[in-house]
Amino acid sequence: MFLLGLLAIPLLGAALIAGSPAHAAKRVALAATSIAVALFIPIVAGFDFANNGTMQGGVEYAWLPTLGVKFAVGIDGVSLALLGLTVLLGPICVAASFTAITDRPKTFYAWLLILQAAITGVFCARDLVLFYICFEFTLIPMFILISLYGSTNRAKAAIKFFLYTFTGSLITLAGLVYVAWQHSLKHDGVWNFDIDTLAATARNLPLSTQGWVLLALMAGFAVKVPLFPVHTWLPLAHTEAPTAGSVVLAGTLLKLGTYGLYRFALGYVPGAMAEHAQTIAILCVVGIIYGGLICWVQRDVKKLVAYSSVAHLGFCVLGLVALNQTGITGSVLYMINHGLSTGALFLCIGMIYERFHTRNMAELGGLAARMPVWSTFMVFFAMASVGLPGLNGFVPEFLCLIGSFQADSRWGHGLWGSTTTSMASYGTRGDLGPWLTLIAGTGMIIAAMYLLYMVGRVVWGPLVLPPGFKADDGHGHGHDDSKGSHTAEAEKHDDHGHHSVLPTDLCGREIAILAPLAFLCLALGVYPKILTSSMDLAIDSQVKVLEEKLIERDRTRMGSTTPLVPVPPATKPNEGSGRPSASTIDSRIMVQNAGMQEAGR
Amino acid sequence: MMTLLTNTHGLMHALSGAALAVSDEAGHAAGHASGPVAQTFAAGPMFGLLVVALPLLACILCGLCAMGRVKTKLPAFLTVLCLAGSFLVTLALYLQHHGQPAGTAWIIQGFEWIRLDYRQMVDSVVQSRSFIANFGLYVDSLTCLWMLFVTGLATLIALYASEYMSHDVGQGYNRFFAAFSLFVFSMACLVMADNLVLLYLGWEGVGLCSYLLIGYFYKKPSAVAAAKKAFILNRIGDLGLALGIMLCYVHFGSVEYKVIFEKCAPYMASLAAGQLDQIPLIAQFIPLCLMIGAFGKSAQLPLYVWLPDAMEGPTPVSALIHAATMVTAGVFLIARTYPLFLMSEYALPIVAWVGALTALLAATIGMAQFDIKRIMAYSTVSQLGYMFAGLAVLTSVGGAAHVFTHAFFKAMLFLACGAVMHGFAGQLDLRKLSGVGSMPGWRVVGIAMLVGCLNLAGFPIITAGFWSKDMILGEAFANSQMQAIGWILLLTAGLTAYYTFRVYFRVFVGPKHYEPGDEHHGDDHGHDHGHGHADGHDEGHQTSGKHGFHPHAPGWAINTVLATLAVAAFVIVPLVALNHGGWVKDMVGASSAQFNEKAAYLIAAKGDLHTKFFGFDAHKAMMVVSSIVGLIGIAVAFVLHYQGRTTAATSKADALLPAFGPIAKWAQNKWYVDEFYNAIVRMPLLALAQIFHWFDKLVIDGLVDFFGWTPRGLGGSLRPAQSGEMHTYAVGMAGGLAVMAVVVIVVLM
Amino acid sequence: MAIGDMMMMGSGLMGSVLAQAAPPAAMSDVHLAHYLFVACVMFVIGLIGFLTRRNLIIMFLCTDLMFQAAGVALIAFSRYHLNHTGETFTIVLITVAAAEAAMALALVVLLFRKKESLDAEEWTELKG
Amino acid sequence: MMERLAYLWPEIALFIGTCIVMVMGLSHNPAVRRLCSPICGIFIVAAGVLAAYTTPWGESAVSIAGQTLLPNMPIFAKVLISVVGLVLLLLLAGTVDRQEEGLIARGKRAFDPLRTNRAEFYAFYLFSLTGLMLCASADDLIWLFLALELTSLPTYIMVTLSTSANKSREAGVKYFFLGALGASIFLFGFAFIYGGTGTTNLNAIHASFVQNGINGIALAGLVMALVGLGFKIASVPMHFYTADVYEGAAAPVTAMLAFVPKTAGFISILLLCATIGWQYVPGGETALMPAVGVQGVGGTALPEPIRVLLWVIAAMTMTVGNVLAVMQASIKRMLAYSSIAHSGYMLVGVIVGPGNNTFATSGVSAVMFYLLVYGVMNVAPLAVVASLEKPARSDDEPTEPETLDDLRGLWKRRPALAGMMVIGSLALLGFPPLLGFFGKVPLFTAGISAGEVALVIILGLNSAIGAYYYLRLAAMPFLAETPGAVPSESYDLHPRTSRTFAAALSASAAVVLALAGSQLMDISAKAGYVDSRVNGMDRLQPFKPKLTSVEDGGRPANGAGAVVAPAN
């Protein structure tokens, strides 16, 4: 029931905003999102982490029984984590817009809340149609946020964003409906759109069919992620969107794509995934390097971060298509952590934009001298984004890379392993392997290159301010030209006689926005287990199916039932961790083979 | 030559006499072949975590100071206190560990950092697998050795920095000490980690701190660029390390040393049995990956170029991070994972060659530089090459000992240079300083410099540097495979002695002369003295112009530290000199950095570890030869840079320059390596990035726009049909009907 | 002239198609194919007239011709099938055609009042 | 015979209403004249109620009328027609003569029965609805033809009368002349169908097709009829008139045009297709696009030539409609082209056929549902346009907003109207969770069920193109006014609040019906029921056209010795 509350609160908030005066809009929005955060607490408290693979907190109502459509919500460990991210970013986005949005605040906050409700809906939908509806519905609020509150090129950005993602997702709808139809064929023509029920049918579709379905799924989700060749809407949308829009876009909206891939590409068409993982992985790797290098030559700091999302999500999907526990766990962690760190970077950039009305790195530099607090946060989040160990970016990236490194069916054979000694191989089945990982790994270097380039330009170096701002101006800024190109906020500054509402460095509200994100970045970097242990079984259930398909695939490819690795003899050395503490999951993950158990301990 | 050798051999023998129990050949062989000290694992005392925690605490406290905008020296005080505490805890840990049987490795469990458990079908059997990287400490004697000098030096240097950075009190002071403490924390993680991923955390953590501290004077574009360069080049190495870790995981199923070492045991047995082919090729790849990381962090070819630039940072940083500790992380990595390096036929030879060539190259560059800090930087690169070579020629003791001694004397050298820089407004050009050591108040600095230079030059017998270097040289010549390495290192030793004393003779002795630096560190972060200078040294000197400038001699903190280090440099002599490595040998020999199996393999299969050096025992011969080489280097420097020198700017060496032709110029320009990298890596990459940028804009986005435009284009082309004329419409309808009829007919056909 | 050519072409085409469809019998004088041929020719003439003439009244007459072509076909088929459905249809059709004619004339008058012209091409304000 | 009347009660009611309204409009008493539209509404309601309670369906339809092709369609269609008809009436009220009535009320002009056209307008509207309902109950080609003409002819006049501007005249003349051309084409087709089968009764035609197959003449007739009927639904290649006519007519009439003829056309096309039956082997080597993963296809389809014909028409109709709509600046023109596109979407359902008569698989049900959805949601944008007017300078008629730019700033001025516009256009776009989305879902499901994946993809892509212009329509009220454009301030609310009410009704229906549409889906599923004999679930047959078989195929067995001698 709390899930319903999570869906309803933002909508109620939006309704309330519609009926309240303009100056109260931001308070109502803040209250609504805060209540949502509060509501999330009982959800977490009530969540059975020991069974995080099963759907919990579910509510189900008949909706369109003719089509077998239900209104069904429920969450498992993965959904919970993403839901947490969504809910958390809610008040942050609202608070980040307090001074940035002065024109038509009611519309802005109302749509922001609706957007949150839609994203919440995606992550907790248990019904395909509900999922799709929420998935699509995110477009409208985002469209409005960009087209009404964006910068100069906003109309084009909004339209492109909308059409690109909308087109893709319509094809996805076709694919999903196809699956539903196949299900109905096997169930006396009774249609059902339950996500889990359909998964069972979809998995058993013939491989070629699965391939087509995968293609359809990719059409929508890859655009949303976005993967390499279909990414161009993202930089544009990010650049033009208002800060809160960018944060939601990077933080959660892109995750709809990866979540869709996780839920449907892995869950529905594991066979096809096993078949085509390499292709997708290559796209990811290309995206990592391509996106990263493009970042490096950007002049617009927001565009730089936007392109970095292309590179980062390349890692995320790479882990996903590794099709093993390490990779997928890394990928899901990546979804969360990218949301935090990149969202925070966008917030930081937004704060600068609010002050100087420029994102051009040629006009900004050395802000550390002027804004030490901001600079500290900026460097911190840049480092989180770079993937510095100890911060949140590292563990997911590393796990994704390990996952893809592991995923090679050749491990354990010939040159790739040992058949002459008793050493087992710890690779998993797949087509990715070390070479791909090596190339992807250069993305780590490139990430350092462009993010440090950005930090070096904006934060370090001699102080550079855009024309009209005095470098020695103690507070506020001498912004005195109203060229009309700026939006209402610029006009507002002019109205107030060149007195900015913002201090030189961050104000308390802005610190309060960034601090929780920074804390989470640190906390999740130091103790990622809080996430990994809450989603291990959920991912395990996916991996189980994928592994079967991979075994089948390898069998057909190799023409025999060659095991991945030679059977380790019973006398082989201590294989497991050797740690006396028997973990809880070990008892849950079955170790059927008694001999193995013995060897493992 | 031969007679000279014989003579000096005798002399050396007499000198060392009873004091140094130089083992005979049999004893030496026993050292190689003695049964491996069995590694045993046990849970360690929890207080060991304090070693890591105290620097972190210091970092947090400094951060709080920054938040509270503290404008006193409080952060320095806190840092020194915490680091000293950390050092004491390390000492206690060492003492307690020393009581354990040799070969004991403690594992101190902190908390579970990364843990994934999963299962995998292997031949229809479900196996349970896990990826575990805990925040746990692995304490063996190698760890103790490293942590002792890391925390000890860090404490001293923090003390030094408290004075050195005093002009920044209230500005960057908090930031400096926060990063400083964070560095020690990261270094402690790196050294004490019980698994490779935590090591990686420390590895990148020290990289971050290095980045932050190199870029400490962030208003200077060169400092920012240097910081960026350091981080990125380190990242290249880190990728290698990361791949190595992954390979380890895929091969051994774990990233924990304990498991890896246990699983290595059969390989080691195969190695000892001379069956290298029993070790799978994939396992042999692991060291190849790891060494890239080590090359990056320890500034070896081809990734060394960041270290000289890193001298943009404040001098204490250069001393601690870029001389004494962080850059030795690569050496530590190899020592820590020595069993993995032994598995491969090619790993150690590659390391040896890289190390030796780096040593030589850096020494040649160092000879031609004028910036004393840069000379020290190149010397660091060069000495690191020595250490690598030491590890690679199968004297991990020698490598570690050189790390150990180098940490002291190089830190001292840097701190002395820093004192000069501090006192002369950033002046570092050896052509503009002379006779500093004899100026009033500079005595301690001069002596410390002399001690450091003697160590670095390998002055015989009395310096620790001599003994550690000698171990490496001796072992290189003793190893039949490594003769060439030995010769390169020997040449380098001579060059080192020369350029080291070149600095000493130019700057610290001779006629007194100085020109103050222009202190180009910006307004509020530079080394000028207008900002709340706590000491009473500023006597109204200006920041520019020779007249009216008075160098201010170092205060008590700097002097104390320098003096301590100078004393320590001698105190550690017996620790490395006695019994072929002395205490360090005990420390290293009982750790993972043993090499017995490889030695056995090499002796059995390939070659000789007791090669004679022109008929003499290589070790004994080297003591003499390297002494002579070192003395020659010093003598040359004396002649060229001291004898008869009357000005600061010129010396006799200038006359010799034309003789070297362009080589001198090339060396002065660092062999154009930076330019070369820029041309073959950075520029192409930048060009590629630009190409991608435009490709993205024009082609990919162009395609998208094209598809977006298609409907409009189609609409535009159909629009003329909507002419508004009824006849057009009628024609369209009739024609359409005909077309539809054709469609049907076609289908019917 | 062009109209004539096209009509010739059209009738020729229809003729050949129907000749295939119903090869002429030796004895009978007139059979279904001939009626259909006439109907089709009427239809095509009407169509071509509609396409080529610009006078609104003539254009309407052309549509009426097409209607009547259907009538001819219907009656032919009616005879062929030996039932009266087609004839019934034709009667209805004629009625409808008459109603349309009435409307058409009203419209034409209305339009003529506005523009003093019967030219259909006068009315091209709406386009695109 | 009397039981046949069961189908006609609603039509009779409407006809009576027509007569009454026509007379009332001539009254000198303004109050009586003003009663025209309420009376009109009452009769529409009455027709709806009658339709709901008297029209036979299911078994009774079979027993009473032998109506077996689409036994449940008439009742659904008629109730739908009266419901949407009522909403349209709200919109249409006050379209014509308001100016003159105003002058009369202010005493500036005397009432002249010869000049009024208000009563005719309503009467024609009712006539048109009557024809539409007749279409739904048609079981004979003659009847169908008549009904179609009855539907169309009044609309020609309504278009012409709707405003006094020249545009309406032009629209009227184009609509009429091209309509006549279209009518002659499908009439000729009807004649050939009759010629090929010997009967005009749809059931009998079906029986003939089942028994003798489809001969060349009948096939030619079917092709002409289907293409010709395309005029009613504005499908390619008969779509040319649409934009001009929609633009020229007043917005309320445009809304009516988007529903009335289209419904008539789809009912007729469905009936014709039902005579053929979706009983043929699907695909075949002539299928243009090999369906993706056709395994498990129910195995029913139209004969290949007809399927391909409709396929091509559907694909082109969607595409042409959408791409032309993208180019438009005029609201009504844009909606006209979008109306073309929507016909294309619905044709997918026609191609798919009844599947296995469940809502998810039945294209016929999908068409029924879409007719409802489209009828409801299409009112909103046009009603918003109709609710605004720019006061005339002199005695001219006030004008509606024409271009998209005229809507700029509406959100600030009239947020409610802007909201309705947004909901309406997003619903038309098919954006979840609005009604339009649920209209498309069954098209998707049915299309995929029938293996028409390619067509569904085309549908999806076209929806995406549609997004472009619908978004413009939805976003325009939010955009700031540009200098030079007609400011939205100059637009007043139309005095007829019924128009705003219609918009609100439509917009709220687009939301509410989406969230609680299960009942409607059930009803549509029933409405689209096609007898298994027709949909050929039990006996799949290959399509074998007999090109030269007028004589042996179509002719009754006893047909020898006629005046028209059979060949040979």
Side-chain angles (χ1 to χ4, degrees), chain B residues 205-289:
Chain B
V206 294
L208 168 73
C209 299
S210 161
Y211 169 78
L212 291 175
L213 289 169
I214 295 172
Y216 177 78
F217 302 114
Y218 60 79
K219 288 190 176 174
K220 242 171 86 184
S222 62
V224 176
K228 196 168 80 177
K229 186 173 177 183
F231 196 89
I232 291 168
L233 279 164
N234 267 307
R235 270 253 154 170
I236 297 174
D238 294 354
L239 175 61
L241 176 59
L243 288 172
I245 295 172
M246 291 171 200
L247 208 48
C248 258
Y249 177 66
V250 170
H251 191 68
F252 294 113
S254 177
V255 292
E256 294 172 300
Y257 297 138
K258 176 177 175 294
V259 181
I260 292 174
F261 293 156
E262 278 174 354
K263 291 198 175 178
C264 261
Y267 292 160
M268 291 293 104
S270 306
L271 187 67
Q275 299 163 312
L276 201 61
D277 57 339
Q278 288 291 304
I279 303 173
L281 204 57
I282 204 73
Q284 301 197 20
F285 263 103
I286 297 173
L288 298 182
C289 293

Side-chain angles (χ1 to χ4, degrees), chain B residues 36-328:
Chain B
V37 182
Q39 292 263 325
T40 50
F41 300 101
M46 290 306 283
F47 76 83
L49 286 169
L50 282 176
V51 178
V52 182
L54 283 172
L56 185 63
L57 178 68
C59 173
I60 293 168
L61 290 175
C62 291
L64 290 175
C65 286
M67 275 188 218
R69 299 203 160 76
V70 171
K71 293 195 189 316
T72 63
K73 283 192 172 184
L74 178 66
F77 175 69
L78 292 169
T79 305
V80 172
L81 207 63
C82 287
L83 294 186
S86 183
F87 173 68
L88 291 176
V89 174
T90 314
L91 205 59
L93 194 67
Y94 160 67
L95 291 173
Q96 194 173 339
H97 182 262
H98 198 61
Q100 305 288 320
T104 303
W106 279 339
I107 290 173
I108 304 174
Q109 186 62 269
F111 60 90
E112 287 193 330
W113 179 32
I114 309 174
R115 173 161 195 150
L116 286 184
D117 297 272
Y118 58 102
R119 71 302 172 66
Q120 194 176 349
M121 291 282 277
V122 178
D123 203 26
S124 334
V125 177
V126 175
Q127 293 190 357
S128 113
R129 298 268 161 99
S130 54
F131 179 86
I132 299 171
N134 288 324
F135 198 94
L137 307 183
Y138 183 93
V139 182
D140 66 353
S141 47
L142 189 70
T143 315
C144 290
L145 170 68
W146 234 271
M147 280 318 292
L148 279 172
F149 78 79
V150 167
T151 52
L153 280 175
T155 312
L156 287 175
I157 294 173
L159 186 62
Y160 175 98
S162 71
E163 179 188 328
Y164 187 90
M165 302 304 294
S166 54
H167 50 77
D168 268 4
V169 168
Q171 305 212 21
Y173 208 65
N174 298 320
R175 179 160 59 93
F176 178 85
F177 282 99
F180 195 91
S181 315
L182 187 63
F183 166 76
V184 181
F185 163 75
S186 306
M187 193 68 201
C189 284
L190 192 163
V191 174
M192 303 186 80
D194 81 334
N195 62 70
L196 285 166
V197 180
L198 187 60
L199 174 136
Y200 189 84
L201 181 144
W203 196 266
E204 292 239 306
V206 294
L208 168 73
C209 299
S210 161
Y211 169 78
L212 291 175
L213 289 169
I214 295 172
Y216 177 78
F217 302 114
Y218 60 79
K219 288 190 176 174
K220 242 171 86 184
S222 62
V224 176
K228 196 168 80 177
K229 186 173 177 183
F231 196 89
I232 291 168
L233 279 164
N234 267 307
R235 270 253 154 170
I236 297 174
D238 294 354
L239 175 61
L241 176 59
L243 288 172
I245 295 172
M246 291 171 200
L247 208 48
C248 258
Y249 177 66
V250 170
H251 191 68
F252 294 113
S254 177
V255 292
E256 294 172 300
Y257 297 138
K258 176 177 175 294
V259 181
I260 292 174
F261 293 156
E262 278 174 354
K263 291 198 175 178
C264 261
Y267 292 160
M268 291 293 104
S270 306
L271 187 67
Q275 299 163 312
L276 201 61
D277 57 339
Q278 288 291 304
I279 303 173
L281 204 57
I282 204 73
Q284 301 197 20
F285 263 103
I286 297 173
L288 298 182
C289 293
L290 293 180
M291 75 169 71
I292 296 173
F295 292 161
K297 193 58 85 191
S298 292
Q300 295 298 294
L301 275 176
L303 301 174
Y304 74 95
V305 288
W306 64 270
L307 186 56
D309 287 8
M311 298 304 138
E312 293 285 347
T315 307
V317 171
S318 307
L320 179 68
I321 301 186
H322 303 122
T325 55
M326 183 188 89
V327 288
T328 65

Side-chain angles (χ1 to χ4, degrees), chain A residues 156 160 164 228-229 231-233 235 289-290 293-294 296-299 307 325-326 329 366 368-369 373 379 383 386-390 394-395 397-399 401-402 405-406 411 415-418 420-421 423-429 434 437-438 441-442 444-445 447-449 452-453 455-456 459-462 505 525-529 532 536 540 544 547 551 561 563-568 573-579 581 583 585-586 589-593 596 601, chain B residues 69 107 109 111-132 134-135 175 194 197 200-202 204-205 207-208 211-212 215-216 218-221 224 227-229 231-232 235-239 241-256 258-259 262-264 266-267 270 277-283 285 524 681-683 685-697 700-702 704-705 708:
Chain A
K156 187 183 174 214
K160 193 168 199 166
Y164 210 146
F228 157 57
H231 62 274
T232 46
W233 63 269
I289 292 173
Y290 179 88
L293 282 178
I294 289 179
W296 196 29
V297 293
Q298 292 304 315
R299 295 278 168 271
Y307 268 110
Q325 186 92 9
T326 28
T329 309
V373 178
V379 173
M383 284 300 157
V386 165
L388 195 81
F394 167 68
V395 176
E397 193 166 290
F398 203 72
L399 286 179
L401 286 175
I402 282 203
F405 196 89
Q406 273 184 299
W411 286 122
L415 292 178
W416 290 68
S418 160
T420 52
T421 69
M423 190 66 75
S425 172
Y426 290 79
T428 61
R429 291 168 192 276
T437 312
L438 170 67
T442 57
M444 289 169 33
I445 302 167
M449 275 160 47
L452 295 189
Y453 157 73
V455 169
V459 178
W460 312 130
D505 207 342
V526 173
Y527 202 65
K529 200 163 162 274
T532 52
D536 48 2
D540 180 68
K544 199 161 93 183
E547 193 172 32
I551 290 174
T561 58
L564 176 63
V565 288
V567 188
N574 200 358
E575 178 214 303
S577 62
R579 182 157 298 91
S581 62
S583 77
I585 189 166
D586 268 351
I589 290 186
M590 62 310 328
V591 182
Q592 275 114 345
N593 188 310
M596 281 313 305
R601 293 297 122 203
Chain B
R69 299 203 160 76
I107 290 173
Q109 186 62 269
F111 60 90
E112 287 193 330
W113 179 32
I114 309 174
R115 173 161 195 150
L116 286 184
D117 297 272
Y118 58 102
R119 71 302 172 66
Q120 194 176 349
M121 291 282 277
V122 178
D123 203 26
S124 334
V125 177
V126 175
Q127 293 190 357
S128 113
R129 298 268 161 99
S130 54
F131 179 86
I132 299 171
N134 288 324
F135 198 94
R175 179 160 59 93
D194 81 334
V197 180
Y200 189 84
L201 181 144
E204 292 239 306
L208 168 73
Y211 169 78
L212 291 175
Y216 177 78
Y218 60 79
K219 288 190 176 174
K220 242 171 86 184
V224 176
K228 196 168 80 177
K229 186 173 177 183
F231 196 89
I232 291 168
R235 270 253 154 170
I236 297 174
D238 294 354
L239 175 61
L241 176 59
L243 288 172
I245 295 172
M246 291 171 200
L247 208 48
C248 258
Y249 177 66
V250 170
H251 191 68
F252 294 113
S254 177
V255 292
E256 294 172 300
K258 176 177 175 294
V259 181
E262 278 174 354
K263 291 198 175 178
C264 261
Y267 292 160
S270 306
D277 57 339
Q278 288 291 304
I279 303 173
L281 204 57
I282 204 73
F285 263 103
D524 40 358
V681 180
R682 191 171 166 275
M683 293 318 288
L685 215 52
L686 205 55
L688 191 65
Q690 286 289 1
I691 290 170
F692 280 172
H693 176 61
W694 288 107
F695 180 79
D696 200 60
K697 215 173 206 170
I700 293 195
D701 206 31
V704 173
D705 284 343

